[in-house]
Amino acid sequence: MASKDSIVALSSGRLPAGIAVIRISGPKTRFVIETIAGGRVKDRFTTLRKLMAPDGSVIDHGLVLFFPGPGSFTGEDVAEFHVHGSRAVAAKMLETITAIEGVRHAEPGEFTRRAFLNGKLDLTETEALADLVNAETEAQRRFAVRNAEGAQSELYSGWRRRLIHARAMIEAEIDFADEEDVPGSVSDAVWSDVAAMIDEIERHIQGFKAAEIIRDGFEVVILGAPNAGKSSLFNALAKREAAIVTDEPGTTRDLLEVVLDLNGIRVRIVDTAGLRETAGKVETIGIERARAKAGGADLVLLLEDMVDPQSVGEVPTGMPLLKIGTKADLQSEHRGVYDMVISSKDGCGLSGLLDEIGRRAAAAIGDAGDVLPSRLRHVELLKEAKDFLAAALSGRSQELRAEELRLATDRLGRIVGAVDVEDMLDVIFSQFCIGK
């Protein structure tokens, strides 16, 4: 796809910085270089140039790189100016470049969108690139890099190729059933492969929970009676005064959250209101929120004050739970049965608790080499594809079964962008920062 206009943006980080990278893509790219850098530069080599404003004044001395299309990130002519990272230099460079006719500021994700439209990336690789830009932990980085290198694309495109072949075989059997070179038993092999594919897609969909944990974090909810030490533990894990700690029951009335990086995995610790039967109207709302949050948690830490144990009433069931005895610095004898015993005051047991949370988080995401669906839209389209395949497998008319295969193929194509997905593009590329 040939663009009529060229786009430019600051593609490096927040200013001021050591270096500012200004990227331009489109048909005016070479003209911009010749105008500002005073002549042509060698393709794919860094060249030190004096960068000039239209009035002949020097903007800066910097490096210039030129990547001729289609062998560039966007598939168009692309250039980068590496200049000193002051706000004034970057602003003057952008002002000078956009003053050239046919060059404008890029919108968020527009460089990547051009790469997609020019066939340099498919949609899953595009989404993985967004994940890589936003990665905060090692697990997120590994997950994004694997998908950016085409792991998801290869899986979905492989399923799609198998369905295209299956459709061709079924339609050939329909149209040429009387021909000797079209065996009547071809459908047996086709439907056997379709059945296998249904199982493969179902197993893949089940991996979405692990992908959610990688991207959004392993959620740990702290529950307990008032003054059981929830906020003290929360502050100890956060290593700052994130929650108010007092002797007055019901101090915490809303959900508080802190994010940790445990062995490269994002972990979200949530502090909640103390659970008790008699509470005021506002505190009751906090308690209801605490119970609801615990119901969807990946791990619940149920804290109990070993010095003065208090009932918390009914606790949500069906989720992983650790019963934690608190205030070990004040109570040496354990009158209850606990999975772990801690003291937020002197740090006793906190290291072991973090290790256990990290172990469970690692187990929840499973093998880092697995290919997982990284977006809810992937899961929705995969479920639709699976349903169409199941309908094709159980159908009686070969014509209708072939149509179900076509619909399943279409849904897989929508994941990677092999069919018309214009309605999704604005949503997908709006997630990018400007300059990417």
Side-chain angles (χ1 to χ4, degrees):
M1 184 202 75
S3 302
K4 295 182 180 180
D5 53 359
S6 297
I7 54 175
V8 64
L10 175 67
S11 292
S12 51
R14 182 179 301 177
L15 301 177
I19 297 292
V21 178
I22 295 171
R23 178 182 291 167
I24 179 171
S25 178
K28 284 294 186 73
T29 300
R30 191 181 291 275
F31 178 76
V32 169
I33 291 177
E34 293 175 353
T35 301
I36 296 178
R40 295 173 67 94
V41 297
K42 189 175 181 180
D43 296 355
R44 305 182 184 282
F45 278 82
T46 55
T47 305
L48 179 63
R49 288 291 177 89
K50 183 187 296 184
L51 308 178
M52 310 292 291
D55 61 4
S57 62
V58 177
I59 301 174
D60 196 8
H61 293 79
L63 298 176
V64 184
L65 296 93
F66 178 69
F67 305 91
S72 68
F73 172 68
T74 64
E76 305 172 330
D77 286 351
V78 173
E80 290 182 354
F81 295 95
H82 294 201
V83 296
H84 292 95
S86 75
R87 293 187 179 92
V89 170
K92 186 63 178 178
M93 284 292 296
L94 291 170
E95 175 190 328
T96 302
I97 294 172
T98 54
I100 297 173
E101 185 178 357
V103 184
R104 60 173 175 81
H105 289 285
E107 298 176 358
E110 194 166 3
F111 286 92
T112 307
R113 183 169 188 152
R114 292 191 176 197
F116 166 73
L117 294 175
N118 288 320
K120 309 297 288 187
L121 301 168
D122 66 24
L123 276 186
T124 55
E125 292 167 337
T126 295
E127 290 166 327
L129 191 57
D131 287 342
L132 186 58
V133 170
N134 295 319
E136 297 178 338
T137 67
E138 177 62 14
Q140 290 173 338
R141 184 197 66 80
R142 291 197 305 267
F143 184 56
V145 166
R146 180 166 171 76
N147 290 333
E149 291 179 339
Q152 279 183 328
S153 177
E154 182 179 347
L155 178 64
Y156 301 147
S157 296
W159 282 335
R160 186 167 179 265
R161 286 192 298 269
R162 284 163 64 183
L163 287 183
I164 290 173
H165 173 75
R167 286 172 54 202
M169 294 297 99
I170 294 300
E171 289 171 6
E173 188 173 89
I174 294 171
D175 295 337
F176 306 104
D178 56 343
E179 300 291 336
E180 293 182 357
D181 57 348
V182 180
S185 62
V186 67
S187 62
D188 293 340
V190 167
W191 299 123
S192 176
D193 189 48
V194 167
M197 201 179 307
I198 291 173
D199 291 339
E200 293 170 20
I201 293 175
E202 178 58 33
R203 288 195 300 271
H204 180 67
I205 290 173
Q206 291 172 0
F208 183 56
K209 177 60 177 176
E212 282 188 307
I213 291 174
I214 292 172
R215 296 185 66 223
D216 301 329
F218 183 81
E219 187 173 73
V220 180
V221 173
I222 304 174
L223 288 184
N227 290 336
K230 300 184 303 301
S231 294
S232 296
L233 174 61
F234 183 76
N235 288 338
L237 296 179
K239 296 184 179 179
R240 59 185 174 87
E241 292 298 317
I244 299 173
V245 179
T246 72
D247 293 330
E248 180 183 346
T251 302
T252 302
R253 297 188 174 185
D254 209 345
L255 303 177
L256 301 177
E257 181 176 303
V258 68
V259 176
L260 307 180
D261 184 338
L262 297 184
N263 301 321
I265 301 173
R266 178 183 171 93
V267 175
R268 293 184 289 117
I269 308 292
V270 182
D271 187 19
T272 64
L275 305 182
R276 59 175 173 171
E277 298 299 327
T278 58
K281 183 176 180 180
V282 175
E283 189 180 348
T284 298
I285 295 174
I287 292 172
E288 291 173 352
R289 290 181 178 178
R291 293 186 186 278
K293 192 70 171 175
D298 298 305
L299 175 64
V300 172
L301 304 182
L302 181 59
L303 271 57
E304 184 174 273
D305 182 351
M306 295 188 295
V307 177
D308 183 21
Q310 300 291 327
S311 172
V312 296
E314 185 178 348
V315 176
T317 59
M319 82 289 292
L321 183 144
L322 287 175
K323 187 174 182 181
I324 309 294
T326 64
K327 304 182 183 180
D329 55 306
L330 302 177
Q331 181 68 41
S332 58
E333 295 183 4
H334 308 155
R335 291 182 289 177
V337 178
Y338 304 106
D339 296 305
M340 304 186 75
V341 172
I342 66 168
S343 168
S344 299
K345 184 175 181 178
D346 63 17
C348 170
L350 293 185
S351 177
L353 177 58
L354 284 172
D355 288 344
E356 179 63 16
I357 293 173
R359 185 191 68 78
R360 290 181 179 237
I365 67 174
D367 186 353
D370 291 341
V371 181
L372 307 173
S374 57
R375 291 289 194 283
L376 181 59
R377 78 171 190 92
H378 300 175
V379 173
E380 291 172 345
L381 289 168
L382 286 166
K383 286 181 177 178
E384 290 182 24
K386 183 171 71 73
D387 290 342
F388 286 128
L389 292 179
L393 199 61
S394 61
R396 295 183 179 181
S397 164
Q398 290 288 65
E399 288 81 359
L400 293 178
R401 298 174 86 184
E403 175 63 11
E404 300 287 0
L405 292 181
R406 185 193 69 78
L407 292 171
T409 306
D410 172 82
R411 297 312 186 268
L412 293 174
R414 286 175 176 269
I415 298 177
V416 298
V419 297
D420 183 23
V421 290
E422 187 64 31
D423 56 335
M424 290 187 287
L425 296 187
D426 290 339
V427 175
I428 290 172
F429 291 106
S430 67
Q431 302 171 23
F432 284 81
C433 56
I434 294 175
K436 189 58 183 171

